[in-house]
């Protein structure tokens, strides 16, 4: 089933979704991040088709500034001056980069992935001033998820004639992910949620959002905001991992960390012992060589223990016992 069919009937006359959204200062924004000393820009490769090349750029009006490129065959390249502040995180194929940011790094960033046969995949991230980053509000409902299952969030709103705008978004830490942003004239689905969501408006004025195959990365505060001719409504959901599974993940992480620590300590001890043994062998060989050289240089020297300890036969010949006789 095509992902477009999930949205039929959302608004009267709205049947096709266009990749467009207006978000105050920026357009086509999939994620909003608060400016910090270190900013993580995420562009997870969805493994749709074969990756040909992945690239990062910063958009300044109509101009684009190259940041980094990753090619599966040729590796990665980071362009000046970002080679002083940008690094790829772990596996370059994921596309995530770390930016040591300053105030000059505010702006709109674009990640593009050329794939075959899917074509070009685009993700846009806005890095904004901390003062403009919205604050989270208290959740109206709490929802627990099980990784691998389906999560459904429902929002019932008063019966009104028309909806001017409807937005679902997720806040986690210092970043906001846009899930959907829909108006009667345009629609937008976030990069990280394509092919993974169902969005249905039922006749009883109930709007539900369903996300398939949820993971621990889907934890956060979700909010649904509806703007109508008669007022605005917002509902929030605090989504967390189910208790038992959460404890399992915590204990699993602790066990893994302990195992890594033990392995590290054992490795350090083994390396230290190996170096110490090697140093002792080297010292022993050095001392043996020095004694050998001393013997060759002066065989009669008292520093030579073999010579020093050897009895002197000439001295022993003259050591005679005195004999006394009475005549």
């Amino acid at each position: 089933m095509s992902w477009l069919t999930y949205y039929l009937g959302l608004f009267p006359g709205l049947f096709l979704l266009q990749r467009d959204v207006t978000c105050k200062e920026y357009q086509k924004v999939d994620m909003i991040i608060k400016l910090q000393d270190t900013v993580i820009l995420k562009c997870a490769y969805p493994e749709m088709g074969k990756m040909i090349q992945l690239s990062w750029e910063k958009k300044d009006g109509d101009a684009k500034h190259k940041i980094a490129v990753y090619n599966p065959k040729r590796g990665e390249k980071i362009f000046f001056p970002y080679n002083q502040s940008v690094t790829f995180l772990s596996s370059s194929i994921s596309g995530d980069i770390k930016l040591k940011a300053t105030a000059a790094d505010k702006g709109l960033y674009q990640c593009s992935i050329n794939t075959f046969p899917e074509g070009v995949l685009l993700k846009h991230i806005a890095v904004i001033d901390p003062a403009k980053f919205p604050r989270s509000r208290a959740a109206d409902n709490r929802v627990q998820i099980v990784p691998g299952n389906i999560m459904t969030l429902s929002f019932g709103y008063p019966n009104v004639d028309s909806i001017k705008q409807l937005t679902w978004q997720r806040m986690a830490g210092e970043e906001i992910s846009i899930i959907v942003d829909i108006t009667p004239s345009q629609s937008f689905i976030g990069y990280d949620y394509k092919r993974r969501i169902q969005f249905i408006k039922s006749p009883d004025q109930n709007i539900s959002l369903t996300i398939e195959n949820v993971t621990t990365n889907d934890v956060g505060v979700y909010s649904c905001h509806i703007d109508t001719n008669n007022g605005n409504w917002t509902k929030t959901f605090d989504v967390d991992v189910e208790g038992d599974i959460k404890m399992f993940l915590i204990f699993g992480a602790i066990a893994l960390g302990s195992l890594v620590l033990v392995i590290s300590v054992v490795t350090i001890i083994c390396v230290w012992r190996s170096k110490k043994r090697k140093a002792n062998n080297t010292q022993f060989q050095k001392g043996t060589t020095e004694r050998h050289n001393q013997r060759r240089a002066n065989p009669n020297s008292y520093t030579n223990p073999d010579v020093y300890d050897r009895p002197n036969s000439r001295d022993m010949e003259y050591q005679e016992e005195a004999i006394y006789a009475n005549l």
Side-chain angles (χ1 to χ4, degrees):
M1 180 184 296
S2 171
W3 59 274
L4 289 173
T5 59
Y6 296 149
Y7 300 86
L8 298 181
L10 179 61
F11 291 112
L14 179 62
F15 299 100
L16 296 179
L17 293 181
Q18 307 296 326
R19 295 197 58 196
D20 194 13
V21 67
T22 301
C23 182
K24 295 182 180 180
E25 301 177 15
Y26 305 104
Q27 293 184 342
K28 300 181 180 179
V29 174
D30 297 273
M31 182 176 288
I32 302 171
I33 299 179
K34 182 169 73 172
L35 179 66
Q36 302 175 85
D37 294 336
T38 300
V39 175
I40 306 297
L41 302 179
K42 301 177 181 178
C43 186
Y45 171 50
E47 298 183 1
M48 296 165 50
K50 179 181 179 181
M51 177 195 288
I52 300 174
Q53 185 165 290
L54 180 148
S55 61
W56 278 98
E57 297 175 321
K58 184 180 180 184
K59 301 180 70 174
D60 185 8
D62 295 331
K64 295 181 179 180
H65 306 284
K66 292 183 178 180
I67 299 176
V69 171
Y70 172 75
N71 185 287
K73 295 182 178 179
R74 300 183 180 181
E76 64 184 52
K77 178 177 176 58
I78 302 176
F79 298 94
F80 179 84
Y82 292 99
N83 57 344
Q84 303 296 323
S85 58
V86 169
T87 55
F88 276 97
L89 291 178
S90 59
S91 174
S92 298
I93 196 171
S94 70
D96 299 348
I97 59 175
K98 179 173 68 174
L99 170 66
K100 294 181 180 179
T102 64
D105 291 310
K106 292 183 296 184
L108 183 63
Y109 293 80
Q110 173 181 287
C111 173
S112 62
I113 306 177
N114 294 322
T115 65
F116 179 84
E118 297 291 336
V120 180
L121 307 175
L122 296 176
K123 182 175 183 178
H124 297 88
I125 301 176
V127 178
I128 67 174
D129 190 291
K132 297 182 179 180
F133 192 82
R135 297 180 179 179
S136 61
R137 51 172 288 175
D140 300 305
N141 293 80
R142 297 189 180 276
V143 178
Q144 292 187 325
I145 61 174
V146 176
N149 286 3
I150 293 175
M151 175 184 71
T152 299
L153 306 176
S154 299
F155 180 21
Y157 62 96
N159 188 9
V160 293
D161 294 334
S162 61
I163 297 178
K164 296 167 56 177
Q165 185 177 15
L166 187 149
T167 305
W168 279 92
Q169 65 184 28
R170 166 183 165 269
M171 177 181 289
E174 309 301 336
E175 62 184 36
I176 299 174
S177 299
I178 309 300
I179 303 174
V180 293
D181 192 316
I182 301 175
T183 67
S185 61
Q186 62 182 4
S187 310
F188 173 78
I189 302 176
Y191 174 90
D192 296 323
Y193 297 92
K194 288 180 173 61
R195 300 179 181 272
R196 207 162 65 94
I197 64 169
Q198 299 180 25
F199 188 67
I200 300 173
K201 173 180 175 295
S202 62
D204 59 353
Q205 304 301 120
N206 184 67
I207 294 176
S208 65
L209 173 72
T210 298
I211 301 179
E212 300 175 344
N213 192 27
V214 294
T215 68
T216 54
N217 293 328
D218 291 309
V219 170
V221 177
Y222 290 71
S223 64
C224 179
H225 180 77
I226 299 176
D227 185 7
T228 72
N229 293 330
N230 297 329
N232 302 324
W233 287 269
T234 300
K235 187 174 182 178
T236 58
F237 306 82
D238 186 1
V239 176
D240 201 354
V241 179
E242 190 172 293
D244 294 341
I245 296 181
K246 187 175 182 180
M247 292 303 297
F248 173 78
L249 294 175
I250 292 174
F251 284 122
I254 293 174
L256 180 60
S258 301
L259 179 60
V260 172
L261 179 61
V262 170
I263 293 175
S264 300
V265 171
V266 170
T267 302
I268 292 173
I269 293 175
C270 291
V271 171
W272 177 77
R273 287 184 175 178
S274 177
K275 290 183 177 179
K276 185 176 181 180
R277 189 181 302 112
K278 185 177 179 180
N280 291 338
N281 291 338
T282 302
Q283 185 68 24
F284 176 77
Q285 293 175 0
K286 182 179 179 181
T288 303
T289 303
E290 290 178 354
R291 288 195 298 271
H292 180 68
N293 292 336
Q294 290 174 358
R295 292 170 187 166
R296 295 182 60 184
N298 188 2
N300 296 322
S301 173
Y302 287 117
T303 58
N304 188 331
D306 295 339
V307 175
Y308 179 78
D309 295 337
R310 187 184 301 124
N312 193 324
S313 59
R314 180 173 301 178
D315 293 340
M316 293 180 63
E317 292 177 356
Y318 291 98
Q319 292 179 358
E320 298 179 352
E321 183 178 356
I323 299 176
Y324 297 90
N326 294 321
L327 298 180

